Amino acid sequence: TRGVDMGARKEIYTELRELTRRGLALLVISSDAEEIAGLCDRMIVLERGRPKEAEALLAPALKIRQEAYLPSDRRVANAMSWLGAAYAALGRHAEAEPLQLDAHRHLSAAPAAFVRDKRAVLTHLITLYDSLGKPDQAAPYRKELASIKDVMQ
C-alpha cells in the first residue's frame, strides 16, 4: 500500500479482512511488518531465521506473480529478491544469486518511490556475497546502497 492515500489504504484493509472472513487464505508479502501485523493471523519473518518456512510461501508466490504480471514488474522483482534471500539463508547460493541479480536489474529501473524494495534487494545481494566470502562482488552493491536517498524523508 505504499503510495496509497489513507482512505484507499483503509478500503484495501477492509476488503482483505472481508475476503478472509469468507474463508479465503491470503498471502501478504511486505517489508513493512507494522502494516501487516494487524491484518495477518500468522507472519513468517525471513530475517528471524525461518528461511525454510519463508521458501515454502515465497516460491509459489513468485510463480503467481510471474503469471499475473510482466517480468519487469516490481512485484515480481520483490518476490524474486525475498525468495533469493531465503535460498541464500538455506545455503542454496547457486539458486539465490540469479534471482537476486534479476531482481536488482528490474528494481534499478523502478521509480525512486520504491526505495524500500531497492534497499532490500541490495541488502540481500550484499549478504549473499558476504556469505560467499566475495567482498569484491558485494562492494558495488554497498556503494549503491549508501547512495540511495529515502524519498519518504
Side-chain angles (χ1 to χ4, degrees), residues 2-15:
R2 260 180 264 154
V4 176
D5 67 61
M6 289 303 289
R9 185 177 298 179
K10 186 176 179 180
E11 288 179 37
I12 291 168
Y13 292 163
T14 300
E15 181 64 23

PDB file of all heavy atoms in Angstrom, residues 2-15:
ATOM      1  N   ARG A   2       2.129   1.110  -0.332  1.00  0.00           N
ATOM      2  CA  ARG A   2       2.975   2.288  -0.450  1.00  0.00           C
ATOM      3  C   ARG A   2       2.442   3.193  -1.549  1.00  0.00           C
ATOM      4  O   ARG A   2       2.045   2.734  -2.604  1.00  0.00           O
ATOM      5  CB  ARG A   2       4.402   1.883  -0.815  1.00  0.00           C
ATOM      6  CG  ARG A   2       5.293   1.874   0.382  1.00  0.00           C
ATOM      7  CD  ARG A   2       6.665   1.481  -0.025  1.00  0.00           C
ATOM      8  NE  ARG A   2       6.736   0.039   0.253  1.00  0.00           N
ATOM      9  CZ  ARG A   2       7.514  -0.791  -0.356  1.00  0.00           C
ATOM     10  NH1 ARG A   2       8.301  -0.389  -1.304  1.00  0.00           N
ATOM     11  NH2 ARG A   2       7.524  -2.050  -0.051  1.00  0.00           N
ATOM     12  N   GLY A   3       2.420   4.473  -1.288  1.00  0.00           N
ATOM     13  CA  GLY A   3       1.966   5.420  -2.290  1.00  0.00           C
ATOM     14  C   GLY A   3       0.457   5.541  -2.373  1.00  0.00           C
ATOM     15  O   GLY A   3      -0.064   6.233  -3.236  1.00  0.00           O
ATOM     16  N   VAL A   4      -0.260   4.873  -1.483  1.00  0.00           N
ATOM     17  CA  VAL A   4      -1.727   4.905  -1.484  1.00  0.00           C
ATOM     18  C   VAL A   4      -2.174   5.819  -0.344  1.00  0.00           C
ATOM     19  O   VAL A   4      -1.642   5.744   0.765  1.00  0.00           O
ATOM     20  CB  VAL A   4      -2.295   3.482  -1.283  1.00  0.00           C
ATOM     21  CG1 VAL A   4      -3.808   3.502  -1.182  1.00  0.00           C
ATOM     22  CG2 VAL A   4      -1.849   2.577  -2.416  1.00  0.00           C
ATOM     23  N   ASP A   5      -3.170   6.669  -0.618  1.00  0.00           N
ATOM     24  CA  ASP A   5      -3.622   7.564   0.436  1.00  0.00           C
ATOM     25  C   ASP A   5      -4.338   6.778   1.535  1.00  0.00           C
ATOM     26  O   ASP A   5      -4.734   5.633   1.342  1.00  0.00           O
ATOM     27  CB  ASP A   5      -4.520   8.680  -0.126  1.00  0.00           C
ATOM     28  CG  ASP A   5      -5.839   8.174  -0.672  1.00  0.00           C
ATOM     29  OD1 ASP A   5      -6.612   7.588   0.101  1.00  0.00           O
ATOM     30  OD2 ASP A   5      -6.087   8.369  -1.876  1.00  0.00           O
ATOM     31  N   MET A   6      -4.505   7.404   2.684  1.00  0.00           N
ATOM     32  CA  MET A   6      -5.047   6.714   3.862  1.00  0.00           C
ATOM     33  C   MET A   6      -6.456   6.161   3.615  1.00  0.00           C
ATOM     34  O   MET A   6      -6.790   5.079   4.082  1.00  0.00           O
ATOM     35  CB  MET A   6      -5.066   7.650   5.074  1.00  0.00           C
ATOM     36  CG  MET A   6      -3.676   7.961   5.616  1.00  0.00           C
ATOM     37  SD  MET A   6      -2.763   6.476   6.081  1.00  0.00           S
ATOM     38  CE  MET A   6      -3.650   5.989   7.546  1.00  0.00           C
ATOM     39  N   GLY A   7      -7.287   6.888   2.892  1.00  0.00           N
ATOM     40  CA  GLY A   7      -8.641   6.406   2.616  1.00  0.00           C
ATOM     41  C   GLY A   7      -8.630   5.134   1.787  1.00  0.00           C
ATOM     42  O   GLY A   7      -9.342   4.172   2.085  1.00  0.00           O
ATOM     43  N   ALA A   8      -7.798   5.118   0.739  1.00  0.00           N
ATOM     44  CA  ALA A   8      -7.690   3.928  -0.109  1.00  0.00           C
ATOM     45  C   ALA A   8      -7.084   2.770   0.669  1.00  0.00           C
ATOM     46  O   ALA A   8      -7.501   1.621   0.512  1.00  0.00           O
ATOM     47  CB  ALA A   8      -6.865   4.238  -1.353  1.00  0.00           C
ATOM     48  N   ARG A   9      -6.110   3.054   1.510  1.00  0.00           N
ATOM     49  CA  ARG A   9      -5.483   2.010   2.327  1.00  0.00           C
ATOM     50  C   ARG A   9      -6.516   1.355   3.239  1.00  0.00           C
ATOM     51  O   ARG A   9      -6.561   0.139   3.361  1.00  0.00           O
ATOM     52  CB  ARG A   9      -4.345   2.615   3.149  1.00  0.00           C
ATOM     53  CG  ARG A   9      -3.565   1.591   3.941  1.00  0.00           C
ATOM     54  CD  ARG A   9      -2.423   2.219   4.672  1.00  0.00           C
ATOM     55  NE  ARG A   9      -1.501   2.812   3.707  1.00  0.00           N
ATOM     56  CZ  ARG A   9      -0.398   3.451   4.018  1.00  0.00           C
ATOM     57  NH1 ARG A   9      -0.059   3.597   5.279  1.00  0.00           N
ATOM     58  NH2 ARG A   9       0.373   3.955   3.101  1.00  0.00           N
ATOM     59  N   LYS A  10      -7.364   2.178   3.842  1.00  0.00           N
ATOM     60  CA  LYS A  10      -8.413   1.644   4.723  1.00  0.00           C
ATOM     61  C   LYS A  10      -9.366   0.751   3.937  1.00  0.00           C
ATOM     62  O   LYS A  10      -9.760  -0.319   4.420  1.00  0.00           O
ATOM     63  CB  LYS A  10      -9.171   2.801   5.380  1.00  0.00           C
ATOM     64  CG  LYS A  10     -10.170   2.359   6.412  1.00  0.00           C
ATOM     65  CD  LYS A  10     -10.807   3.547   7.103  1.00  0.00           C
ATOM     66  CE  LYS A  10     -11.819   3.056   8.120  1.00  0.00           C
ATOM     67  NZ  LYS A  10     -12.463   4.149   8.827  1.00  0.00           N
ATOM     68  N   GLU A  11      -9.707   1.149   2.711  1.00  0.00           N
ATOM     69  CA  GLU A  11     -10.582   0.328   1.867  1.00  0.00           C
ATOM     70  C   GLU A  11      -9.913  -1.002   1.517  1.00  0.00           C
ATOM     71  O   GLU A  11     -10.567  -2.053   1.525  1.00  0.00           O
ATOM     72  CB  GLU A  11     -10.937   1.073   0.579  1.00  0.00           C
ATOM     73  CG  GLU A  11     -11.900   2.218   0.784  1.00  0.00           C
ATOM     74  CD  GLU A  11     -12.207   2.941  -0.517  1.00  0.00           C
ATOM     75  OE1 GLU A  11     -12.312   2.273  -1.565  1.00  0.00           O
ATOM     76  OE2 GLU A  11     -12.347   4.171  -0.467  1.00  0.00           O
ATOM     77  N   ILE A  12      -8.630  -0.966   1.231  1.00  0.00           N
ATOM     78  CA  ILE A  12      -7.890  -2.193   0.917  1.00  0.00           C
ATOM     79  C   ILE A  12      -7.911  -3.130   2.115  1.00  0.00           C
ATOM     80  O   ILE A  12      -8.187  -4.326   1.987  1.00  0.00           O
ATOM     81  CB  ILE A  12      -6.442  -1.869   0.485  1.00  0.00           C
ATOM     82  CG1 ILE A  12      -6.447  -1.165  -0.872  1.00  0.00           C
ATOM     83  CG2 ILE A  12      -5.588  -3.139   0.447  1.00  0.00           C
ATOM     84  CD1 ILE A  12      -5.105  -0.547  -1.249  1.00  0.00           C
ATOM     85  N   TYR A  13      -7.622  -2.594   3.295  1.00  0.00           N
ATOM     86  CA  TYR A  13      -7.622  -3.417   4.504  1.00  0.00           C
ATOM     87  C   TYR A  13      -9.007  -4.016   4.774  1.00  0.00           C
ATOM     88  O   TYR A  13      -9.128  -5.177   5.148  1.00  0.00           O
ATOM     89  CB  TYR A  13      -7.192  -2.602   5.724  1.00  0.00           C
ATOM     90  CG  TYR A  13      -5.757  -2.153   5.723  1.00  0.00           C
ATOM     91  CD1 TYR A  13      -5.333  -1.142   6.563  1.00  0.00           C
ATOM     92  CD2 TYR A  13      -4.803  -2.721   4.878  1.00  0.00           C
ATOM     93  CE1 TYR A  13      -4.016  -0.714   6.576  1.00  0.00           C
ATOM     94  CE2 TYR A  13      -3.487  -2.295   4.883  1.00  0.00           C
ATOM     95  CZ  TYR A  13      -3.106  -1.287   5.741  1.00  0.00           C
ATOM     96  OH  TYR A  13      -1.808  -0.868   5.749  1.00  0.00           O
ATOM     97  N   THR A  14     -10.051  -3.222   4.568  1.00  0.00           N
ATOM     98  CA  THR A  14     -11.418  -3.703   4.767  1.00  0.00           C
ATOM     99  C   THR A  14     -11.717  -4.855   3.815  1.00  0.00           C
ATOM    100  O   THR A  14     -12.287  -5.877   4.213  1.00  0.00           O
ATOM    101  CB  THR A  14     -12.425  -2.550   4.568  1.00  0.00           C
ATOM    102  OG1 THR A  14     -12.137  -1.527   5.529  1.00  0.00           O
ATOM    103  CG2 THR A  14     -13.858  -3.022   4.738  1.00  0.00           C
ATOM    104  N   GLU A  15     -11.315  -4.704   2.558  1.00  0.00           N
ATOM    105  CA  GLU A  15     -11.549  -5.758   1.568  1.00  0.00           C
ATOM    106  C   GLU A  15     -10.767  -7.026   1.917  1.00  0.00           C
ATOM    107  O   GLU A  15     -11.288  -8.134   1.814  1.00  0.00           O
ATOM    108  CB  GLU A  15     -11.179  -5.273   0.166  1.00  0.00           C
ATOM    109  CG  GLU A  15     -11.420  -6.295  -0.915  1.00  0.00           C
ATOM    110  CD  GLU A  15     -12.883  -6.693  -1.103  1.00  0.00           C
ATOM    111  OE1 GLU A  15     -13.785  -5.915  -0.736  1.00  0.00           O
ATOM    112  OE2 GLU A  15     -13.125  -7.801  -1.614  1.00  0.00           O
TER     113      GLU A  15
END
